[in-house]
Amino acid sequence: MTAPTPRKSPRQQRAHATCAAILEATARILESAGPEALTTNRIAEVAGVSIGSLYQYYPAKQAILAELVRAQRAALLTDLQDAVQQAAGLDLRATVPLLIAASLKHHAHRPLLAQRLEAAEKTLALDAETAALKAQIDALVVKVLAQRGVADPRQAAFDLAAMVTGWADAAVMAGDSDTVALAERMTRAANGYLGLAPGSVR
Amino acid sequence: MTAPTPRKSPRQQRAHATCAAILEATARILESAGPEALTTNRIAEVAGVSIGSLYQYYPAKQAILAELVRAQRAALLTDLQDAVQQAAGLDLRATVPLLIAASLKHHAHRPLLAQRLEAAEKTLALDAETAALKAQIDALVVKVLAQRGVADPRQAAFDLAAMVTGWADAAVMAGDSDTVALAERMTRAANGYLGLAPGSVR
DNA sequence: GCAGAATGTGAGCAATCCCTCAGCTTTCCA
DNA sequence: TGGAAAGCTGAGGGATTGCTCACATTCTGC
């Protein structure tokens, strides 16, 4: 019922290719035509695969979207873990920009896709695995902030994530491609939120 | 072609009631079941109106959504204008919380609806009237910021709007209903962004 | 080689979608 | 008061949707 995981795991290489083609086709339709134009028949067509093959690996249309969302979350977790490792020994002021840069990475790569997946996530009933990833991400940020003396690390982690995500989406829509400058402006806001004195960012 | 305005203007009172019922039904379905469940037949059913009546006033499904989006934008413009009037003679530090409070007002009233309408706006091709409203809103904020000595008022207006909107949506999703506290935290971030020293909020 | 598992195919079903239209009821106004 | 305008109805047309299933093809291990 609530099992948006692949219905059958691909064992051979061409099966993996089929799954990948389906996911990529879904991503491309999402980018070029939006969620309203995302139909299973069209996904199969763009992927160059028969509709039957699609349903051999994904039990429902939603499952394909869920898989993309899950992958995006997993990538974010990895990038954040890297950032945290890089921030070892650094103080709060130096850590924040690293976290922001990690969060912005996916928006920089395929901006429209990232935005549409986030929108889809709000409507989708996300599976247990994706929920677990979200929890891991949250816990990671909470821990980093707490270690650096932030007063209410839970609240702060939530607020900073909300701020960066929504802001990044809007920037993407407006065609702002200068991620570095965007990250710098976000850092200013985050510093203000955390009660850090303005100071020159460099 | 791109005329999502009512196809026929209601002249009698019961016609106005019909239009209102259709809009309210659309809002309710959006809140309770999401955009995927928003069908014209269902709208008519929930509104207690026949499907034929619906199409007498709205030429397409999208037009109903566009009307709701337009109304939301118009309300935001009004609230911002009030805030600006209230901020006459005040400095930047005192003005920012007023602008934030105005922006948050709709999210506080019907949070889920506000969020889903914003999501819909990103997919919809918005009509000329709504675009004009957006431009007015932007110009208003730019002017207020410029008058109070903000360096790059265009950029700042965009960034602050993006920050507040996305953040508010996320807070709504998480069930955070304490709008006052939320506004205060946002103000801290905005102050940091604008280069204002932390200082006590009151 | 070959049996069986894994993979791939696509016509088409049932359900649903958006929207039209011919005819009915209610309201307005001279 | 009566004709015209405005409003309302809902069956259903044509298109599309998500998805199934009976069957063909390809690969793997022995």
Side-chain angles (χ1 to χ4, degrees):
Chain A
M1 197 169 292
T2 51
T5 31
R7 143 185 304 188
K8 177 201 294 185
S9 303
R11 312 226 173 259
Q12 303 176 7
Q13 205 163 27
R14 63 180 173 147
H16 271 111
T18 298
C19 283
I22 290 169
L23 289 177
E24 178 57 27
T26 303
R28 273 221 265 270
I29 294 169
L30 225 45
E31 283 175 321
S32 63
E36 314 236 318
L38 192 73
T39 70
T40 51
N41 284 309
R42 180 137 181 69
I43 292 172
E45 181 193 336
V46 171
V49 158
S50 96
I51 181 68
S53 290
L54 188 154
Y55 278 96
Q56 207 145 35
Y57 299 103
Y58 300 97
K61 187 176 96 166
Q62 301 276 357
I64 309 176
L65 260 178
E67 179 81 5
L68 280 178
V69 169
R70 201 196 54 79
Q72 176 114 318
R73 283 283 162 202
L76 174 59
L77 177 57
T78 301
D79 288 338
L80 277 178
Q81 283 169 333
D82 285 357
V84 167
Q85 201 158 20
Q86 209 177 339
L90 300 182
D91 66 355
L92 184 58
R93 154 162 257 115
T95 302
V96 168
L98 292 176
L99 294 180
I100 289 179
S103 299
L104 277 180
K105 198 173 164 190
H106 315 91
H107 288 269
H109 181 41
R110 293 179 78 167
L112 207 52
L113 177 61
Q115 188 220 290
R116 298 240 155 111
L117 282 181
E118 266 157 30
E121 199 177 349
K122 290 182 187 167
T123 302
L124 244 62
L126 42 96
D127 54 316
E129 199 175 349
T130 307
L133 282 172
K134 279 187 87 165
Q136 269 189 271
I137 291 170
D138 190 55
L140 182 66
V141 177
V142 168
K143 187 178 162 199
V144 169
L145 294 180
Q147 282 176 341
R148 283 157 183 79
V150 172
D152 189 346
R154 271 203 155 60
Q155 178 82 269
F158 175 85
D159 282 339
L160 291 177
M163 189 185 86
V164 168
T165 304
W167 195 339
D169 281 346
V172 162
M173 280 293 284
D176 184 353
S177 57
D178 189 349
T179 316
V180 177
L182 178 61
E184 207 233 292
R185 280 177 280 145
M186 286 181 176
T187 301
R188 264 178 14 225
N191 283 346
Y193 174 89
L194 293 167
L196 299 175
S200 71
V201 176
R202 175 182 313 268
Chain B
M1 195 169 291
T2 53
T5 32
R7 144 185 301 187
K8 177 203 292 185
S9 302
R11 314 228 173 258
Q12 302 176 9
Q13 204 163 27
R14 63 179 173 148
H16 271 111
T18 298
C19 283
I22 290 169
L23 290 178
E24 179 56 27
T26 303
R28 274 220 264 269
I29 295 169
L30 225 45
E31 283 176 322
S32 63
E36 311 236 321
L38 192 73
T39 71
T40 52
N41 284 310
R42 180 136 180 71
I43 292 172
E45 181 192 337
V46 171
V49 158
S50 95
I51 180 67
S53 292
L54 188 154
Y55 278 95
Q56 208 148 35
Y57 299 102
Y58 300 96
K61 188 177 96 166
Q62 301 278 356
I64 308 175
L65 260 179
E67 179 82 5
L68 280 178
V69 169
R70 200 196 55 77
Q72 175 115 319
R73 283 285 162 200
L76 174 59
L77 177 57
T78 300
D79 288 338
L80 277 177
Q81 282 169 335
D82 285 356
V84 167
Q85 202 159 20
Q86 209 177 339
L90 300 182
D91 66 355
L92 184 57
R93 155 163 258 116
T95 301
V96 168
L98 293 176
L99 294 180
I100 288 177
S103 299
L104 278 181
K105 197 172 164 190
H106 314 91
H107 288 269
H109 180 41
R110 293 179 79 167
L112 207 52
L113 177 61
Q115 188 219 289
R116 299 242 152 110
L117 282 180
E118 266 157 31
E121 199 177 349
K122 289 182 187 167
T123 303
L124 243 64
L126 43 95
D127 56 314
E129 200 175 348
T130 307
L133 282 172
K134 279 188 87 164
Q136 269 187 272
I137 290 170
D138 190 57
L140 182 68
V141 177
V142 168
K143 188 179 162 199
V144 168
L145 295 180
Q147 282 175 343
R148 283 155 183 80
V150 172
D152 189 345
R154 271 202 156 58
Q155 179 82 270
F158 175 85
D159 282 339
L160 290 177
M163 189 185 85
V164 169
T165 304
W167 194 340
D169 282 345
V172 163
M173 279 295 284
D176 183 353
S177 57
D178 188 348
T179 316
V180 176
L182 177 61
E184 208 233 290
R185 280 176 279 145
M186 285 182 177
T187 301
R188 259 171 28 218
N191 284 345
Y193 175 88
L194 292 167
L196 300 174
S200 70
V201 176
R202 182 190 317 263

